[in-house]
Amino acid sequence: MVNAGNLPCVELLDYEDYIRALHRRRMSAGVLFHHADGRVLLVETTYKTEWEIPGGAVEAEESPWATAAREVHEELGWSRRLGGLLVINHVPASGAMPEGMAFIFDGGQIDDSDVAPIQSNDSEIRSAGLYTLHDAAQLVKTALHRTISVGMAALRGDGRPVLCDAGHPAAPTEET
C-alpha cells in the first residue's frame, strides 16, 4: 500500500463490497404545466390527501425525463414533448420514505381547454385542475409548494435548473 507522507492508510473494499455499500436513493420526476396567468396544473391522487404535479417514481433502468413523459401519458393521457429541466430537488427522508432526488421538467404553457377534457384512466388520479400558487399552498405539501414556486421562478429566469434542498434553493457553492 502506498502512503504519501503522513497520511493515514485506508483499506479499500474489494469492488463487489464497494458496490454493495453504495447508498441508494429513490428518484422521481414531475412536470410543471402552467397557464399564462400563473396557475399550475395539479392532480388529485386517490391514495393520499395531498395533491401533486403530474409525475412519479423513476423505475429501474429508466431516465428521469423518460419517467416524466411516461407519467404524463399515464396520468393525463397526453403525449407531449417536454421542455427543459427546471428544478433538481433533494428530498430528505420522511417517515418510511427514504431520501430522494426529484427532477422537475417544464411541461409548457396550457390553458383551460387543455385541462377540461382530462379523463384520467389512471386509478391513482381522481381529478386535475389549474390552481393559483396561493390555492396550491392549501392542496400540496409545503415542500412541494416551495418547489413549484421555484420552478415557476426558473421559467422566468435564465433558463438554468435550480438546485434545491426540500424546495429551498441551495446556497451557491464556492468555486475552487
Side-chain angles (χ1 to χ4, degrees), residues 29-147:
V31 181
L32 186 57
F33 292 98
H34 53 93
H35 189 280
D37 65 9
R39 291 179 294 158
V40 296
L41 180 68
L42 300 178
V43 293
E44 179 185 17
T45 63
T46 58
Y47 57 93
K48 60 184 173 179
T49 57
E50 297 89 7
W51 291 48
E52 296 284 342
I53 59 173
V58 175
E59 295 179 356
E61 302 299 320
E62 184 179 46
S63 67
W65 45 92
T67 298
R70 175 181 54 78
E71 289 286 346
V72 165
H73 186 263
E74 288 175 4
E75 294 178 359
L76 305 175
W78 292 349
S79 295
R80 293 175 175 238
R81 182 180 175 97
L82 300 179
L85 182 61
L86 297 174
V87 179
I88 302 172
N89 187 32
H90 173 255
V91 181
S94 176
M97 293 299 280
E99 73 173 320
M101 299 299 294
F103 298 83
I104 309 301
F105 295 91
D106 179 10
Q109 189 169 308
I110 60 174
D111 59 37
D112 295 295
S113 65
D114 294 312
V115 178
I118 293 176
Q119 295 290 321
S120 181
N121 291 326
D122 188 331
S123 62
E124 296 178 352
I125 304 301
R126 180 173 289 125
S127 66
L130 287 165
Y131 294 89
T132 65
L133 288 178
H134 179 267
D135 291 339
Q138 310 308 311
L139 298 172
V140 302
K141 287 185 176 182
T142 302
L144 178 57
H145 185 261
R146 286 192 301 262
T147 305

Side-chain angles (χ1 to χ4, degrees), residues 17-37:
D17 289 340
Y18 168 74
I19 296 298
R20 278 191 294 278
L22 287 174
H23 181 73
R24 306 287 189 234
R25 284 189 174 96
R26 65 188 168 100
M27 285 195 305
S28 65
V31 181
L32 186 57
F33 292 98
H34 53 93
H35 189 280
D37 65 9

